[in-house]
Amino acid sequence: MKLSRKNGLRASAIGALVVSGALVLSACGSDDNTETPAKEGGTKSATAASSIACEGAKGQLLAAGSSAQKNAMDLWVKNFQAACEGVEINYQGIGSGGGITKFNQGQVAFAGSDSALKEEEVAESQKICKGGKGVNLPMVGGPIAVGYKLEGVDNLVLDASTIAKIFDNKITKWNDPAIAKLNPGAKLPDSTIQAFHRSDESGTTQNLGKYLSTAAAADWKHDPKSKSWPAQGGQAANGSSGVATAVKDAEGSIGYFELSYATANKISTVSINTGAAAPVAATSENASKAIAAAKVKGTGNDVALSLDYATKAEGAYPIVLVTYEIACDKGNKAETLPTLKAFLNYTVSEEGQKVLADAGYAPLPAEIAAKVRAIVPTLS
């Protein structure tokens, strides 16, 4: 994203907090700077002026999964470790598929995923979650940006059909009539489009596929549930960071990744023609408008969401994802349970959600955040 758009992004990100609504703080601790014993053994750092409650957190907590939430996780881990001495949170951004595999093999305390567990994955989790199962706890949302590098073109507009055809190798030139029609007056070069996609299993890929299958059904015939890239052609890169780096380095390129990666790499992003009065930019605020309309499809302690990828609401950015933390509702390991609960209590708290906006993420809508806050303390 270009430097000239930085202030606009920051304003949009702050706006996401307003759209999301007031969040209720669930993890309350002392705000003073003295060293305070936590309830079960963890210690609050003397330098951490925050309301993070350590709640007996100690030792190392292993987690892995979604690279979409890696930048958010890095912020959370930094703040939590600063507040809770002697705690190490180790999160590997290996992709949603890899995270779920590690979780269901008992290698990590929780997994990050950009899509809810499938029925067969829930069934498999019961082997690890003794007496329970893996549940989906939404933790952060945001837009999947379609980023590009094209000299002289600062405000590219595409719709679902053109995006589908580009990534399906049906549109291969930047001055294709379909792109030109959406960008009157733009100086589109007669050059080949270099389309990049994820090489690893990814919930980001799956959410993009769900959007294209819904909003451009005639042009995207691939399995919308696939976490692996389903189309032929294009070039592959590992993780959102890999795709973003590839787009940043290659003239005439296009790819998809979370907005935080576009922001960090100053990559220009596509505005989407959804059929609304004006094309919709990839911002936290616009993503929040779409996520706020999500419906809970999970039951009990599972808060899996159903998103409307075909929205035409004014200002609602349609290519969104909600990234989940997947944990056992029952049967967590006793030695890591206090740290798991304390950390997730922080990430879903008002304080934890507030740090997201400036990083290009959309904090959870108030109603959804409240549901998750009520569940995390019940994990056992």
Side-chain angles (χ1 to χ4, degrees), residues 28-374:
C28 298
S30 174
D31 286 329
D32 63 29
N33 291 328
T34 58
E35 197 168 272
T36 306
K39 291 182 180 179
E40 298 177 25
T43 302
K44 176 168 284 190
S45 168
T47 61
S50 78
S51 56
I52 295 174
C54 300
E55 299 290 353
K58 59 183 178 181
Q60 186 181 64
L61 188 72
L62 300 179
S66 164
S67 64
Q69 64 170 280
K70 180 64 166 62
N71 291 336
M73 191 61 67
D74 287 347
L75 288 171
W76 285 330
V77 168
K78 178 183 177 181
N79 293 344
F80 189 79
Q81 289 181 168
C84 303
E85 291 183 347
V87 177
E88 180 185 353
I89 311 293
N90 187 337
Y91 181 87
Q92 297 179 324
I94 60 174
S96 299
I100 291 171
T101 296
K102 281 184 173 289
F103 177 75
N104 279 340
Q105 291 176 348
Q107 297 180 31
V108 294
F110 72 90
S113 178
D114 308 331
S115 56
L117 291 171
K118 299 176 182 177
E119 289 184 12
E120 58 268 28
E121 291 169 336
V122 174
E124 189 176 353
S125 74
Q126 293 176 314
K127 300 174 184 177
I128 298 300
C129 305
K130 301 300 183 182
K133 62 181 180 180
V135 292
N136 303 285
L137 302 175
M139 201 59 67
V140 60
I144 299 173
V146 179
Y148 68 97
K149 184 176 183 180
L150 195 60
E151 186 176 353
V153 180
D154 297 329
N155 298 294
L156 186 67
V157 175
L158 298 175
D159 59 15
S161 176
T162 56
I163 294 171
K165 291 176 181 177
I166 287 170
F167 283 113
D168 206 20
N169 208 34
K170 302 293 176 54
I171 291 178
T172 60
K173 294 285 188 178
W174 278 111
N175 63 348
D176 187 277
I179 300 177
K181 183 178 180 180
L182 290 164
N183 297 274
K187 295 180 180 179
L188 299 168
D190 182 22
S191 58
T192 300
I193 298 172
Q194 297 189 63
F196 288 92
H197 58 263
R198 291 280 290 271
S199 61
D200 53 322
E201 284 198 345
S202 162
T204 310
T205 294
Q206 186 183 56
N207 279 277
L208 176 66
K210 289 179 179 179
Y211 162 70
L212 294 175
S213 295
T214 302
D219 302 302
W220 191 259
K221 301 293 187 180
H222 306 289
D223 179 7
K225 296 181 180 180
S226 177
K227 292 179 182 176
S228 299
W229 184 250
Q232 299 298 314
Q235 302 176 63
N238 186 61
S240 291
S241 59
V243 176
T245 299
V247 171
K248 180 181 179 180
D249 291 344
E251 175 62 26
S253 61
I254 191 168
Y256 61 93
F257 31 77
E258 295 67 42
L259 181 61
S260 61
Y261 290 92
T263 304
N265 290 281
K266 299 180 175 63
I267 297 172
S268 296
T269 58
V270 169
S271 291
I272 307 297
N273 183 337
T274 64
V280 186
T283 68
S284 297
E285 180 182 11
N286 293 344
S288 286
K289 291 177 182 177
I291 294 170
K295 299 185 183 303
V296 177
K297 64 179 180 180
T299 58
N301 284 345
D302 189 278
V303 195
L305 302 175
S306 178
L307 299 169
D308 180 9
Y309 296 98
T311 180
K312 294 182 181 180
E314 297 298 328
Y317 185 81
I319 319 177
V320 294
L321 61 76
V322 171
T323 187
Y324 301 89
E325 312 310 339
I326 294 168
C328 296
D329 59 352
K330 298 177 182 179
N332 290 282
K333 294 180 180 178
E335 61 269 26
T336 57
L337 179 60
T339 307
L340 171 68
K341 292 170 69 173
F343 182 64
L344 295 185
N345 270 327
Y346 162 60
T347 61
V348 77
S349 71
E350 181 179 16
E351 183 175 349
Q353 292 289 300
K354 276 184 176 179
V355 304
L356 299 175
D358 284 345
Y361 293 97
L364 293 175
E367 183 179 353
I368 295 171
K371 288 180 182 293
V372 179
R373 290 191 188 115

